[in-house]
């Protein structure tokens, strides 16, 4: 665990050091005070990297015991903390209440995961670097598989920065349009993709350990069909009902009719990625189980290039829809 904590801490420090150079490039049209505020908010959110990493590792341990319900419900601590913080402290702290609430919610989530893990006989303790030579061969193998997955996630995540950087070059409000449009889609992605990935992983691991390749093939085909049958209607509903969904949920106060007209088509484009991404999670978990994480890295490398491949489309439309097209094309490539 200590190696993971050290790695995430070093990564957070690197991101903190690069922020002052990176943010002015991404949001070059922002005024100086706005860029400084963005940097400070970013620094405030960085502890979540380490806290979420601890929670994810504890969740993985619980999943090996086929404990899914409570670990799946525990992340609700973060939105509850945000709601409570905004209700009680928004007038006093302003935008910083979201930073404090996110960090507090992540800490509560991690604490719950640690407690649940310890109730199943696994103590949360740090194995200091001096004891690495005593680690088991299995632990070393896991560490070797961790590198390609980490690099894949790092490279693939750059797509979000590319999207927002491209949107930042458009007229004022384009980044907000992109963020609003992705809200509901990201919720569905996390719910469906997270659930299927979490549920299928222990069974893949058991079948791979027994070398039951016929069972693996049957499980992959079965879950691909199930995820496609579930995600296709959900995607169709979000595409066809995008305008209604945005109008009912967002169109209040300062969010007007014109904002709805801007967000709805971008959300519809984002929704196209749902079946592709959710189905790809089955293959992703299977590749992890058979220890072919290098293939995941190769797929992750496609992400930033696919996002950079359509700048002309976005410039031609002068609209954040170009970023959503990039995201959809990336999901299709993953499949």
């Amino acid at each position: 665990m200590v190696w993971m904590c050290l790695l995430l801490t070093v990564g957070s420090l690197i991101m903190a050091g690069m922020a002052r150079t990176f943010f002015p490039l991404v949001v070059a049209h922002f005024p100086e005070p706005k860029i400084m505020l963005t940097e400070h908010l970013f620094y405030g959110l960085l502890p979540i990297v380490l806290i979420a990493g601890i929670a994810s590792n504890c969740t993985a341990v619980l999943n090996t015991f086929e404990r899914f319900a409570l670990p799946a419900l525990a992340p609700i601590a973060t939105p509850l903390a945000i709601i409570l913080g905004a209700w009680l402290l928004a007038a006093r702290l302003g935008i910083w209440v979201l930073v404090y609430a996110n960090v507090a919610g992540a800490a509560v989530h991690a604490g719950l995961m640690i407690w649940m893990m310890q109730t199943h006989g696994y103590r949360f303790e740090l194995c200091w670097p001096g004891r690495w030579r005593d680690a088991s061969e299995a632990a070393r193998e896991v560490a070797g598989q961790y590198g390609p997955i980490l690099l894949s996630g790092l490279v693939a995540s750059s797509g979000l920065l590319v999207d927002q950087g491209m949107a930042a070059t458009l007229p004022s409000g384009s980044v907000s349009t992109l963020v609003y449009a992705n809200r509901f889609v990201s919720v569905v992605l996390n719910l469906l993709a997270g659930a299927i990935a979490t549920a299928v992983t222990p069974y893949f691991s058991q079948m791979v350990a027994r070398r039951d390749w016929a069972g693996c093939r049957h499980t992959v085909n079965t879950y691909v069909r199930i995820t496609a049958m579930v995600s296709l209607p959900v995607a169709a509903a979000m595409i066809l009902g995008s305008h209604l969904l945005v109008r009912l949920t967002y169109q209040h106060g300062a969010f007007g009719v014109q904002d709805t007209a801007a967000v709805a088509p971008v959300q519809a484009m984002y929704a196209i990625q749902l079946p592709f991404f959710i189905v790809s999670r089955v293959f992703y978990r299977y590749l992890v189980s058979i220890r072919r994480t290098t293939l995941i890295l190769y797929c992750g490398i496609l992400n930033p290039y696919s996002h950079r491949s359509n700048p002309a489309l976005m410039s031609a439309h002068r609209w954040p829809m170009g970023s959503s097209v990039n995201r959809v094309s990336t999901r299709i490539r993953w499949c």
Side-chain angles (χ1 to χ4, degrees):
M1 183 69 76
V2 70
W3 292 103
M4 183 273 297
C5 293
L6 289 174
L7 185 62
L8 293 177
T9 301
V10 171
S12 299
L13 293 175
I14 292 174
M15 289 189 290
M18 295 177 60
R20 182 151 294 185
T21 302
F22 183 76
F23 275 109
L25 298 177
V26 176
V27 289
H29 72 290
F30 280 11
E32 185 65 24
K34 194 172 184 179
I35 293 178
M36 291 298 296
L37 176 61
T38 303
E39 291 179 11
H40 294 159
L41 294 173
F42 176 72
Y43 296 145
L45 291 169
L46 277 178
I48 296 178
V49 175
L50 175 59
I51 298 171
I54 294 173
S56 296
N57 275 264
C58 296
T59 301
V61 173
L62 290 169
N63 291 158
T64 61
F65 291 101
E66 300 184 12
R67 297 293 185 269
F68 303 116
L70 291 178
L73 291 174
I76 200 174
T78 298
L80 288 178
I82 293 174
I83 294 171
L84 186 62
W87 181 33
L88 298 177
L89 301 172
R92 182 183 305 174
L93 299 178
I95 188 63
W96 280 96
V97 72
L98 297 179
V99 175
Y100 299 141
N102 272 282
V103 174
V108 172
H109 176 205
L112 288 172
M113 292 298 97
I114 292 172
W115 173 74
M116 291 185 210
M117 184 179 70
Q118 293 191 149
T119 59
H120 285 82
Y122 275 75
R123 293 182 58 192
F124 177 77
E125 59 181 10
L126 299 177
C127 177
W128 295 104
R131 295 177 56 189
W132 174 249
R133 65 177 67 94
D134 300 326
S136 65
E137 184 64 28
R140 297 186 184 187
E141 185 173 351
V142 169
Q145 297 291 322
Y146 189 76
I149 295 179
L150 177 65
L151 291 175
S152 172
L154 181 64
V155 173
S157 298
S158 66
L160 178 61
L161 299 177
V162 174
D163 282 348
Q164 296 196 358
M166 294 171 67
T169 64
L170 299 180
S172 178
S174 297
V175 174
S176 297
T177 298
L178 199 66
V179 172
Y180 275 114
N182 196 35
R183 288 297 185 191
F184 286 107
V185 176
S186 62
V187 169
V188 175
L189 284 176
N190 290 331
L191 288 176
L192 296 183
I196 188 65
T198 300
V200 78
T201 300
Y203 301 107
F204 275 146
S205 300
Q206 293 171 11
M207 287 183 288
V208 170
R210 298 194 304 265
R211 297 186 177 274
D212 183 8
W213 306 119
C216 288
R217 187 179 302 109
H218 174 74
T219 302
V220 169
N221 293 333
T222 300
Y223 275 96
V224 164
R225 286 194 296 269
I226 292 174
T227 53
M229 291 171 59
V230 172
S231 59
L232 283 171
V234 173
M238 292 198 68
I239 293 170
L240 298 177
S242 180
H243 190 278
L244 177 63
L245 181 61
V246 173
R247 180 166 58 84
L248 292 177
T249 55
Y250 292 147
Q251 193 172 310
H252 308 286
F255 198 103
V257 177
Q258 292 182 342
D259 300 312
T260 299
V263 171
V266 183
Q267 179 176 267
M269 288 298 303
Y270 265 130
I272 297 175
Q273 70 181 297
L274 286 173
F276 301 101
F277 180 79
I278 294 170
V279 169
S280 73
R281 295 301 89 182
V282 178
F283 296 104
Y284 178 94
R285 293 295 180 164
Y286 178 65
L287 290 175
V288 172
S289 299
I290 63 175
R291 305 166 189 172
R292 297 298 300 273
T293 51
T294 52
L295 293 178
I296 297 174
L297 175 59
Y298 299 151
C299 292
I301 293 173
L302 295 175
N303 193 28
Y305 288 102
S306 66
H307 280 251
R308 292 183 180 92
S309 63
N310 293 323
L313 174 63
M314 187 172 177
S315 299
H317 287 283
R318 303 298 296 169
W319 193 255
M321 191 177 293
S323 289
S324 60
V325 171
N326 288 340
R327 182 64 58 85
V328 171
S329 66
T330 302
R331 302 310 188 196
I332 295 175
R333 285 181 175 90
W334 265 93
C335 289

